Amino acid sequence: MNSGRVLLVDDEKYVLRSLKLILCSEGYTVGTAPNGEEAVRMLDKEDYDAVVSDIKMWPVDGMELLRLLKAGKPNLSVILLTGFGAPGTASAALKYDVYDYLIKPVNTDELLRAVAGAVARTRALMDGKPEPPRGSEPSPSLRAFLRDKEDTYTDDVPKLIT
């Protein structure tokens, strides 16, 4: 069984219920927020080890939530979920040190692996320890984005040098 406090943020109630059920069954204590604005309020009142947030929400979306958290709680690990795997969004998320970036519908094993790593990272950083090495590679979603980005750069090199 795992331990850790995880805040789930999504404007779709069935997604919150499903993810909460998965994480609670693994021993996590889970809070839920319907949007980024409510998540910020909750994070001001309670400590969490990780945040799992959807990107497309209103009035505060997942990217803005990530920016706010990295400015105010830089050690808190954030995992972003999206139904739309846009390279621009993934790239922006990486600039703000997102822990992982998962595509919906999320694979349960992928989610659990990401949450376990995010919780371990936050706890280590909060205890003043170095960031632990990742137990495995980034999620397949993030790996695919990174691979596509690398291919874009390497494909352009021969065209620039002629």
Side-chain angles (χ1 to χ4, degrees):
M1 290 299 261
N2 296 297
S3 66
R5 294 180 47 80
V6 179
L7 179 61
L8 298 174
V9 188
D10 201 306
D11 57 352
E12 297 178 69
K13 289 180 184 179
Y14 71 91
V15 172
L16 286 177
R17 282 193 302 264
S18 299
L19 296 179
K20 184 176 182 176
L21 181 64
I22 292 166
L23 294 176
C24 286
S25 72
E26 293 294 318
Y28 292 101
T29 301
V30 179
T32 61
N35 57 55
E37 189 174 63
E38 181 62 25
V40 169
R41 279 196 286 273
M42 291 176 70
L43 288 160
D44 284 341
K45 295 176 185 174
E46 299 180 58
D47 289 327
Y48 288 89
D49 298 308
V51 173
V52 178
S53 177
D54 187 26
I55 293 177
K56 298 287 184 189
M57 298 179 293
W58 186 87
V60 176
D61 69 11
M63 287 301 299
E64 181 62 19
L65 177 61
L66 175 63
R67 285 188 283 274
L68 291 169
L69 293 180
K70 289 304 171 177
K73 296 178 180 274
N75 293 333
L76 182 60
S77 298
V78 179
I79 299 165
L80 291 179
L81 302 176
T82 184
F84 312 96
T89 305
S91 181
L94 287 172
K95 289 179 187 175
Y96 285 98
D97 192 31
V98 69
Y99 184 80
D100 214 334
Y101 181 87
L102 306 176
I103 305 293
K104 291 179 183 177
V106 66
N107 174 284
T108 300
D109 292 335
E110 197 175 321
L111 173 69
L112 293 174
R113 180 206 47 79
V115 169
V119 167
R121 177 188 178 274
T122 297
R123 287 183 171 178
L125 294 174
M126 295 302 288
D127 290 341
K129 297 176 184 171
E131 184 173 337
R134 289 185 185 231
S136 63
E137 293 292 314
S139 68
S141 303
L142 189 53
R143 271 198 320 267
F145 164 73
L146 294 171
R147 184 181 57 249
D148 291 347
K149 188 173 183 179
E150 183 177 289
D151 289 346
T152 299
Y153 290 129
T154 57
D155 287 348
D156 289 345
V157 172
K159 295 174 191 168
L160 296 174
I161 304 172
T162 53

